[in-house]
Amino acid sequence: MDLLIVEDDPIIRDGMSEYLSEWGYHVIEARDGREALSLFNKDIKVVLLDIQLPFMNGLDVLKEIRKESNIPVLMLTAFNNEEYKIEAFTQLRSEERRVGKECRSR
């Protein structure tokens, strides 16, 4: 199974990649949001996505992925601020509902 890991910290990215590879997953690695979108393809079945990324944050990457796919995306964050996390995911969720309505009306 192809997994996309999107993480700017090389130690974390390499650790996740090595661990998942040992379990037989084919891991594709991206260092930032732009690289993640350029590597994303129909063969990828799961995305592990950091929120704080260079060039394009993880929430924006997820919005772009959702335009093409409804695959599982696990969001990773080092934020300790619960209010920020709730606000970010609430905004994202309302955006997904809006996009979902547009897709159904076509």
Side-chain angles (χ1 to χ4, degrees):
M1 178 188 326
D2 289 359
L3 304 176
L4 176 61
I5 296 175
V6 188
E7 171 61 61
D8 59 320
D9 183 315
I11 295 172
I12 295 171
R13 187 179 60 247
D14 292 345
M16 287 192 302
S17 180
E18 183 178 329
Y19 179 79
L20 292 167
S21 293
E22 288 176 4
W23 284 94
Y25 294 101
H26 176 249
V27 178
I28 301 163
E29 299 180 32
R31 296 166 294 199
D32 59 62
R34 287 191 305 214
E35 184 178 26
L37 292 177
S38 72
L39 293 172
F40 184 75
N41 64 65
K42 64 179 177 59
D43 295 327
I44 293 172
K45 303 303 181 206
V46 176
V47 177
L48 301 169
L49 179 59
D50 188 14
I51 291 179
Q52 264 187 300
L53 294 167
F55 306 117
M56 176 184 255
N57 74 47
L59 297 173
D60 290 335
V61 172
L62 179 57
K63 286 178 189 176
E64 293 301 312
I65 288 172
R66 285 292 174 250
K67 290 178 183 178
E68 297 179 34
S69 175
N70 203 23
I71 65 167
V73 176
L74 302 174
M75 301 298 291
L76 309 173
T77 180
F79 290 125
N80 292 326
N81 184 327
E82 290 296 321
E83 288 179 27
Y84 173 83
K85 288 189 273 190
I86 290 169
E87 181 180 334
F89 286 115
T90 299
Q91 288 175 354
L92 180 65
R93 188 67 189 143
S94 65
E95 177 67 20
E96 282 189 341
R97 281 193 296 268
R98 185 185 66 73
V99 170
K101 288 178 184 176
E102 289 174 4
C103 289
R104 283 192 298 272
S105 66
R106 290 184 184 168

